[in-house]
Amino acid sequence: MTTSLSTSTAVSTGSVLLAGAGAQFVDDIAIAVLPFDAVLAPLSGLIAILLTAGAARYLTRGKQGAAIARTGLAVGGVSAVVGLLVGGLGLVAILLGIVTVVAGVAGAAAGRRQVGPA
């Protein structure tokens, strides 16, 4: 199958999977390794959300147009699915998953200047 996407708008599947899963597992490793887990445990979801937004921002450098939102959505989606698989399917986990997807798109798109007529 061929696609009409240019190289500046194509989304790399491997890097999206690595960034999304990496954001969740770095969060889990930080909770396991750092000695003050009583302080970080309630912030675990927030750490994963911030890592997802940062990973989406990093992956979208040099991209333009719809590729920014697509990449952010893909990173957020992968991160949310991995988080739900690791953490379970409780109500709070599902809500954090939704916020993680939104954070992926927001992290990728925030602070970009708009191209085109204003």
Side-chain angles (χ1 to χ4, degrees):
M1 180 187 323
T2 61
T3 180
S4 61
L5 295 176
S6 68
T7 56
S8 66
T9 62
V11 177
S12 171
T13 306
S15 60
V16 166
L17 292 173
L18 183 64
Q24 289 294 326
F25 287 124
V26 166
D27 170 52
D28 294 338
I29 290 170
I31 297 300
V33 171
L34 295 175
F36 46 93
D37 61 345
V39 175
L40 285 181
L43 301 176
S44 177
L46 181 62
I47 294 169
I49 290 168
L50 292 175
L51 287 171
T52 300
R57 182 67 175 187
Y58 180 76
L59 282 181
T60 56
R61 69 194 188 289
K63 295 210 180 292
Q64 297 176 1
I68 295 171
R70 261 196 323 261
T71 304
L73 182 64
V75 171
V78 168
S79 181
V81 167
V82 170
L84 287 172
L85 290 175
V86 170
L89 293 174
L91 178 63
V92 172
I94 291 172
L95 292 174
L96 284 174
I98 293 168
V99 172
T100 302
V101 172
V102 172
V105 176
R112 307 270 182 175
R113 67 182 186 94
Q114 184 177 358
V115 178

